[in-house]
Amino acid sequence: MADNNDTIVLKDLYDALKDKMYSKVRLLCRDHPEYVLQEISVYNDTALHMAAHSKQTDLVLDLLNILPADYDRKLSGVNDSGNTVLHEVATSDAMKDAAKELLKRNEDLLTASNVLGEKPIFCAARYGQTQMFKFLADQMELNKLSEEESKAHLRRNDGTTVLHISIATECFGLARNVARDYGYLIKEKDQNSMTALQSLACNSSAFATAFAVGNFKGQFMEDNMMSEQIIKGMLERMDLAMNKEKESRKEIFELFFEPTNASGSLKAYGRATITVQKLAWGLFNFGLSPLVGLKKLKERCILQELVKLLVMKDTTWDECTKESEIEECSSKRKGQNSQESSNSKNKKSDESPLFLATMFNIEEIVKAFLDYRPEALNRRNKEGMNILHVAILYRRIDIFDMVVKDEVFVRRLVSTTDKEENSILHMVSQRRKSQASEKMQNPAMELRDELRLFEKVKSVSKMNVSNHLNNDNKTAEELFAATNEQLHQDAREWLMRTTENCTILSVFIATVAFAAAYTVPGGPNQDTGIPILHSKPFFLVFILADVISLTLALTSVGIFFSILTSSFPLENFKMYLFKKLKLGVICLVVSVTMMAVAFGATIVLVMTKNIVWDVVAFLPVPIFFLSCSPLRSLILGPFREPFKIFVVYFYILVFYPLFMIGILVLCLFCGLIYLVFYLVFKGLVWTVQRACGYNFSSWIIGHKSQSGIQSPQPTASPPAQV
């Protein structure tokens, strides 16, 4: 009978925790203190586990106060995952007080491991809880332990360290602190035999989220002659600003520029206000509000500090990669099992962080290597490729440009060949299998990009490798032509098909424009043959639009015909054919637009004195232009960036001031209307009072108060006295 009662009470306790009825939980545990550590869920969680998992600090503290002292040793109980209560508490910075109380009751919880070998401090790192991690590290006195002893606490069974896990969960602030305070973890490898820097070099999404903000930071510092220390001071002030939700925007921005010992003050330079405006509008240019932009800017700075620490301290990439050791390493690998070699060929752990960063297009890490570890540029991978080979193979053109700017290393790098004797110019002809799916474009555009890349690499390599033969006895030009033969054929077919379709449309438009010239709106005068509406202003618009449409249509026909009769040599796909196609398409689009203008002018001439038809008549012009997005991009492509700059400055200098002036005028107008109505009402009341001879408002009040009372009957006047 007692067991049944216990089961019912435990079920009530579980339901109360699940339904967040914490008062009932306290009441049940006060009556039955032993239930605090009783397993109540299918995962063998206790009430303390569930309270800690729900991040209820007060409830955890209350349950610990209810628990008798002789139960302290039982606090080390675990659930199915092997987590103690402290493992659950460590997942939140807000539960630091609960962690303190737990450690007072049972210090063994600090070094308890779950089934994965994770200690509570590892759980804090996995969830990015910086304050909890620091608290547990202080309690464990890690700074007083040896490296091996500390590693045992900061690493789980599979070799993953707190540095690896914080990078994997993108908690870069904590990762930076760990790399700075526990530098010996930087060279440690996880279950995939990868260091923290290698893991970071594979996480391109972390860098992509703040890439534009990072570019803005450098440009902003350069334009305003600001040092890195001043930027850091502003970001430190941002931490205070983000926590002051009730502060006004002005007070928040003032926090950035208060004098500090670390960063100084921009007020000393007398341009704090100007700098705030530039910073705010600069972040707006990147599509960010000022505070959100500053937050991302801070994340970017933290990430850069982490990259710098890892690049400077991680030297595991310097294993068997020197040029003088390539052959020796190759011979050692030949003695290994062939199956093992084939399985490990594409492992990321075999590549250095520099090559991984190049593969995943992470320019920040490559730049850090150029600044702090330039000797890494001379290293090669097990295929004998250097960084230029990898950059070309993965089509990382920005990284290629970044590396070739360094004239000290570029001469040696461009003359290097891989194990197949392929130079960097030969690498243009090679591509990865998944590359086609990354960037979908038509064959002609793809061939054009390949030709441009070939010319770029050739201009860098000059005469060093132009005539170099690889192991297949092919030069770079021969290999390029052979590799891109199918792409050349596909590009030729695409260009012919596109040109034929455009030619048909151009001929059709020319036919319509030619016919419209003989059927002018209103018709001709039967006696003279002169158009009846020739004196109307829109008749001139009709004539000019029709002539331009016909001229451009015939011009585009000639251009497209010259493309169709071309022999389509490989070199012409680099520039010549695309220039002709672009010119023909522009003529075609403008011709169609002018035909729509001629149509609108005709409607205006026929439907006279009707403003509605005047507006409707020209609607086809913007509709056609806006609906044809590929052609619009083709025409407006060169003007896209200037247009963005114009929009930003127009918003800052014109729209925003006019908007504020409009708001002010609207407020003044509303105030004036209110004042006029008020004065009219007061004047009306005064006029009625003067006309009636008594207080009109008092009569209204009295009338309302006596509306429900019957008026007294008039009495007879008293008799006149004689």
Side-chain angles (χ1 to χ4, degrees):
M1 190 68 178
D3 292 340
N4 291 335
N5 291 335
D6 290 343
T7 302
I8 294 173
V9 174
L10 290 176
K11 185 179 183 304
D12 291 341
L13 181 59
Y14 175 80
D15 293 338
L17 284 165
K18 184 181 67 173
D19 298 335
K20 299 182 180 180
M21 302 171 61
Y22 301 128
S23 299
K24 184 177 180 180
V25 173
R26 292 182 177 91
L27 182 62
L28 290 173
C29 291
R30 284 195 187 98
D31 297 336
H32 304 276
E34 67 278 6
Y35 290 167
V36 174
L37 298 178
Q38 192 73 26
E39 296 173 355
I40 59 176
S41 74
V42 294
Y43 302 106
N44 293 327
D45 290 314
T46 65
L48 270 176
H49 280 92
M50 295 186 66
H53 187 73
S54 302
K55 297 179 176 55
Q56 298 296 321
T57 306
D58 295 337
L59 180 60
V60 172
L61 292 174
D62 291 342
L63 294 179
L64 289 175
N65 291 331
I66 293 172
L67 193 67
D70 54 347
Y71 281 83
D72 289 350
R73 305 308 303 176
K74 296 183 179 181
L75 286 172
S76 57
V78 298
N79 58 14
D80 286 351
S81 300
N83 290 332
T84 65
V85 180
L86 188 58
H87 283 86
E88 302 291 346
V89 168
T91 60
S92 174
D93 283 337
M95 303 192 70
K96 189 191 296 186
D97 293 337
K100 291 179 181 178
E101 184 63 26
L102 281 169
L103 293 177
K104 287 181 183 178
R105 305 286 292 266
N106 190 343
E107 294 182 354
D108 295 339
L109 295 174
L110 197 60
T111 56
S113 300
N114 59 16
V115 295
L116 298 177
E118 300 174 345
K119 293 181 172 56
I121 193 172
F122 195 98
C123 292
R126 176 147 53 91
Y127 288 91
Q129 306 302 308
T130 306
Q131 297 180 11
M132 180 65 73
F133 181 90
K134 186 177 183 304
F135 167 73
L136 294 176
D138 292 340
Q139 294 295 315
M140 300 173 73
E141 298 181 343
L142 292 179
N143 55 348
K144 297 181 181 179
L145 301 178
S146 64
E147 289 188 8
E148 293 301 324
E149 291 175 335
S150 297
K151 288 178 184 178
H153 296 301
L154 301 176
R155 181 172 53 193
R156 65 185 183 190
N157 295 338
D158 60 3
T160 303
T161 66
V162 293
L163 183 57
H164 286 93
I165 201 67
S166 56
I167 289 175
T169 55
E170 297 188 3
C171 302
F172 299 118
L174 178 58
R176 178 199 57 183
N177 296 340
V178 172
R180 183 179 54 203
D181 299 337
Y182 311 101
Y184 46 82
L185 295 178
I186 294 177
K187 297 183 181 181
E188 293 296 311
K189 297 185 178 182
D190 61 4
Q191 58 182 343
N192 298 319
S193 300
M194 297 180 68
T195 63
L197 182 56
Q198 287 177 306
S199 300
L200 184 62
C202 296
N203 190 1
S204 57
S205 61
F207 292 85
T209 53
F211 183 72
V213 179
N215 286 342
F216 165 70
K217 173 196 168 187
Q219 186 64 37
F220 181 74
M221 291 172 60
E222 180 180 350
D223 293 343
N224 296 278
M225 297 179 293
M226 296 172 62
S227 65
E228 186 76 20
Q229 287 297 104
I230 293 177
I231 285 288
K232 287 183 179 179
M234 293 170 61
L235 296 175
E236 291 172 3
R237 295 296 175 186
M238 190 206 69
D239 286 337
L240 299 175
M242 297 301 290
N243 295 326
K244 292 180 176 289
E245 297 178 355
K246 296 183 180 180
E247 298 283 355
S248 66
R249 183 178 296 271
K250 178 181 177 182
E251 291 171 334
I252 287 176
F253 277 122
E254 285 178 353
L255 286 172
F256 297 138
F257 303 102
E258 292 179 0
T260 60
N261 295 331
S263 62
S265 172
L266 289 180
K267 288 183 178 178
Y269 298 97
R271 59 174 189 268
T273 305
I274 298 175
T275 307
V276 169
Q277 293 175 354
K278 288 182 179 179
L279 180 62
W281 289 116
L283 291 168
F284 170 79
N285 189 16
F286 282 92
L288 300 169
S289 65
L291 289 181
V292 173
L294 284 171
K295 185 177 180 181
K296 290 185 177 294
L297 191 60
K298 179 188 176 185
E299 294 174 356
R300 184 68 173 184
C301 290
I302 291 175
L303 192 54
Q304 287 177 340
E305 291 181 24
L306 174 62
V307 169
K308 179 180 177 181
L309 284 171
L310 296 180
V311 169
M312 294 183 67
K313 294 184 179 181
D314 186 0
T315 58
T316 55
W317 51 268
D318 198 20
E319 297 176 358
C320 197
T321 56
K322 295 182 180 179
E323 294 186 23
S324 59
E325 298 175 351
I326 290 289
E327 296 300 328
E328 181 181 351
C329 293
S330 301
S331 61
K332 289 182 179 179
R333 290 192 181 94
K334 287 179 181 178
Q336 296 177 354
N337 184 277
S338 59
Q339 182 66 30
E340 180 182 353
S341 297
S342 61
N343 291 339
S344 62
K345 183 177 181 180
N346 296 322
K347 287 176 61 177
K348 294 179 182 178
S349 58
D350 293 338
E351 299 289 352
S352 71
L354 177 60
F355 289 172
L356 287 174
T358 304
M359 295 174 185
F360 287 90
N361 200 26
I362 303 178
E363 297 180 22
E364 294 291 336
I365 296 180
V366 176
K367 188 176 184 302
F369 271 100
L370 291 174
D371 293 339
Y372 307 112
R373 293 285 185 181
E375 65 274 14
L377 296 179
N378 292 326
R379 303 300 187 259
R380 297 192 287 172
N381 61 12
K382 64 181 183 180
E383 283 81 23
M385 300 180 185
N386 61 24
I387 184 174
L388 293 184
H389 287 84
V390 177
I392 296 171
L393 177 63
Y394 284 80
R395 301 301 189 261
R396 308 307 185 191
I397 309 304
D398 293 334
I399 293 179
F400 177 84
D401 294 337
M402 184 190 305
V403 175
V404 297
K405 285 180 181 178
D406 195 335
E407 297 180 357
V408 178
F409 296 96
V410 67
R411 182 175 300 178
R412 188 175 184 180
L413 291 174
V414 297
S415 60
T416 304
T417 58
D418 64 4
K419 289 183 179 181
E420 301 296 328
E421 291 299 320
N422 289 316
S423 65
I424 60 173
L425 200 55
H426 285 86
M427 297 305 298
V428 180
S429 305
Q430 302 182 19
R431 68 186 71 178
R432 296 172 296 116
K433 294 181 180 179
S434 60
Q435 185 179 351
S437 61
E438 291 180 0
K439 188 177 181 181
M440 299 297 295
Q441 55 182 210
N442 61 67
M445 296 291 186
E446 186 177 349
L447 182 59
R448 181 198 61 181
D449 293 343
E450 293 296 309
L451 286 166
R452 287 180 176 179
L453 178 60
F454 188 88
E455 288 298 318
K456 177 192 283 287
V457 177
K458 187 176 181 179
S459 65
V460 172
S461 59
K462 298 180 181 178
M463 298 302 295
N464 292 329
V465 294
S466 297
N467 300 319
H468 178 78
L469 298 175
N470 61 6
N471 288 348
D472 296 329
N473 291 322
K474 289 184 178 180
T475 63
E477 288 83 356
E478 294 171 347
L479 183 61
F480 183 86
T483 304
N484 294 285
E485 183 178 358
Q486 183 60 42
L487 181 62
H488 184 198
Q489 182 65 25
D490 294 341
R492 179 178 178 275
E493 293 177 359
W494 179 89
L495 194 58
M496 288 188 65
R497 187 169 59 252
T498 303
T499 306
E500 288 173 356
N501 295 333
C502 291
T503 302
I504 295 173
L505 181 58
S506 297
V507 171
F508 175 75
I509 294 172
T511 304
V512 173
F514 185 81
Y518 287 93
T519 56
V520 293
N525 191 312
Q526 297 298 328
D527 297 331
T528 62
I530 299 175
I532 297 174
L533 302 176
H534 75 280
S535 60
K536 300 290 184 180
F538 272 95
F539 187 81
L540 180 61
V541 174
F542 166 78
I543 293 298
L544 290 176
D546 190 67
V547 170
I548 294 174
S549 178
L550 177 61
T551 304
L552 292 179
L554 294 177
T555 303
S556 64
V557 170
I559 294 173
F560 293 138
F561 185 73
S562 67
I563 295 176
L564 288 172
T565 56
S566 173
S567 59
F568 298 99
L570 189 62
E571 286 296 322
N572 285 359
F573 279 91
K574 183 169 57 179
M575 190 64 65
Y576 175 74
L577 291 174
F578 282 98
K579 278 187 175 180
K580 280 198 167 186
L581 180 63
K582 183 176 180 179
L583 181 60
V585 170
I586 291 176
C587 291
L588 176 59
V589 171
V590 178
S591 176
V592 175
T593 305
M594 289 297 102
M595 188 175 66
V597 171
F599 169 79
T602 303
I603 297 299
V604 173
L605 289 171
V606 175
M607 307 296 295
T608 57
K609 298 181 180 180
N610 194 326
I611 189 64
V612 176
W613 284 107
D614 292 349
V615 175
V616 173
F618 289 97
L619 279 180
V621 179
I623 290 175
F624 165 75
F625 191 76
L626 294 176
S627 62
C628 193
S629 57
L631 299 180
R632 185 180 70 248
S633 302
L634 182 65
I635 296 174
L636 300 180
F639 309 101
R640 187 174 301 167
E641 290 302 323
F643 180 74
K644 286 183 179 180
I645 297 174
F646 169 77
V647 170
V648 172
Y649 279 98
F650 178 81
Y651 182 88
I652 298 173
L653 301 177
V654 179
F655 177 78
Y656 186 73
L658 290 178
F659 177 76
M660 297 304 297
I661 292 173
I663 294 295
L664 180 61
V665 171
L666 182 62
C667 293
L668 292 176
F669 179 75
C670 293
L672 181 62
I673 294 297
Y674 173 78
L675 180 62
V676 169
F677 274 100
Y678 178 76
L679 293 177
V680 168
F681 177 76
K682 295 294 290 184
L684 181 62
V685 171
W686 181 81
T687 302
V688 172
Q689 289 177 352
R690 294 278 298 192
C692 298
Y694 58 90
N695 195 322
F696 181 70
S697 59
S698 300
W699 177 83
I700 294 176
I701 297 174
H703 180 74
K704 289 182 178 180
S705 61
Q706 297 177 9
S707 59
I709 303 175
Q710 185 177 1
S711 300
Q713 296 294 332
T715 57
S717 58
Q721 295 182 2
V722 179

